[in-house]
Amino acid sequence: MLKVCEIFKTILGESSLAGYPFVIVRTTGCNLRCSWCDTRYAFYEGEEIPLHEVFDRIESFKIRRVLLTGGEPLIQKGSAELLSGLTEKNFLTAVETNGSLDIGVLGKDVHIIMDCKLPRSGMKDKMLALNYDKIKKTDDIKFVVACREDFNFAKNLIWERELENKANLFFSPVFGKVKFSDLAEWLLKSGLNARLQLQLHKLIWNEKERGV
């Protein structure tokens, strides 16, 4: 069983897989409460669905890429089983996780998109440090920046943990809090080997909350 908030198809808006059509499975529940969270409805809304029905809904979209997100998908035991089953069926599978839970439960073929919580999120002390050693070079680490302090914290963390050699790095602005141009300038001046990432789904669908 998996408690699911919504399942839909969209153009993936973030990560190194951005721009591709994806099926999104958004699970219910999260163990963190980030100040800038834009999916608070997923904290509680949803229904318990047998995994075989989740598979059927995914396959009905005729898209071979699936992202499991939340909320926080790793708080549910069924998440790893779902991803394993999809991988066996030759789906490209990805999971977006908040970095506070062990990513080692995921199979080696799952593409991991891990948030790194920064000061303004209010959750920076919740990160599980061991995840930085378990992330793969093909995976993504995302830094959601709400202010210059957040950016500087991320920059120092990247240097201290040598993250440029461990994964793909992305900087995203909190929508409406940081100008795209400001974040671009900070990144240019930093010399970091990281990418600026704008949320394509919000640019396309004008901040529509659900189903994108």
Side-chain angles (χ1 to χ4, degrees):
M1 298 288 285
L2 194 68
K3 191 168 186 180
V4 176
C5 179
E6 56 183 347
I7 303 175
F8 57 94
K9 65 179 178 179
T10 190
I11 299 298
L12 195 66
E14 301 177 83
S15 85
S16 57
L17 300 171
Y20 284 109
F22 261 78
V23 177
I24 306 295
V25 179
R26 187 181 305 285
T27 62
T28 301
C30 190
N31 59 323
L32 301 186
R33 292 293 184 269
C34 297
S35 62
W36 40 252
C37 181
D38 57 2
T39 52
R40 293 178 184 275
Y41 61 91
F43 290 168
Y44 309 108
E45 293 182 19
E47 60 177 321
E48 295 278 356
I49 305 176
L51 287 183
H52 69 88
E53 289 188 16
V54 179
F55 279 115
D56 289 344
R57 292 194 195 184
I58 290 170
E59 290 188 317
S60 71
F61 289 105
K62 309 299 182 184
I63 294 172
R64 305 299 294 180
R65 304 180 188 91
V66 180
L67 171 71
L68 190 62
T69 186
E72 171 48 57
L74 297 189
I75 64 176
Q76 296 195 51
K77 293 181 179 179
S79 292
E81 185 178 349
L82 175 65
L83 290 165
S84 177
L86 288 167
T87 299
E88 289 177 5
K89 292 186 176 186
N90 296 315
F91 280 82
L92 187 159
T93 56
V95 62
E96 187 170 19
T97 178
N98 63 30
S100 69
L101 301 173
D102 185 5
I103 62 174
V105 301
L106 299 170
K108 62 180 178 62
D109 294 322
V110 176
H111 183 89
I112 297 170
I113 306 163
M114 186 174 76
D115 255 333
C116 178
K117 301 305 180 186
L118 303 177
R120 193 59 65 89
S121 73
M123 297 287 119
K124 73 176 179 64
D125 294 330
K126 301 295 185 180
M127 292 296 296
L128 185 63
L130 288 176
N131 283 336
Y132 294 121
D133 297 319
K134 295 183 178 182
I135 201 86
K136 305 185 297 293
K137 286 191 175 182
T138 53
D139 292 333
D140 304 330
I141 300 176
K142 179 176 69 172
F143 302 91
V144 180
V145 174
C147 60
R148 185 61 184 266
E149 177 194 3
D150 276 354
F151 183 85
N152 290 340
F153 181 91
K155 178 178 63 176
N156 291 331
L157 181 68
I158 290 167
W159 288 341
E160 290 168 5
R161 293 192 171 273
E162 299 181 339
L163 296 182
E164 289 171 302
N165 300 318
K166 293 183 177 179
N168 303 306
L169 306 180
F170 293 86
F171 280 90
S172 295
V174 174
F175 216 77
K177 297 291 186 182
V178 175
K179 291 181 180 179
F180 299 163
S181 57
D182 285 345
L183 183 53
E185 288 295 333
W186 300 342
L187 185 56
L188 285 169
K189 290 176 181 177
S190 73
L192 289 170
N193 183 27
R195 281 182 261 182
L196 176 65
Q197 174 177 261
L198 307 181
Q199 295 174 296
L200 286 179
H201 52 296
K202 290 187 177 180
L203 296 175
I204 295 168
W205 286 288
N206 296 320
E207 296 191 77
K208 178 184 174 184
E209 280 193 354
R210 301 175 188 241
V212 298

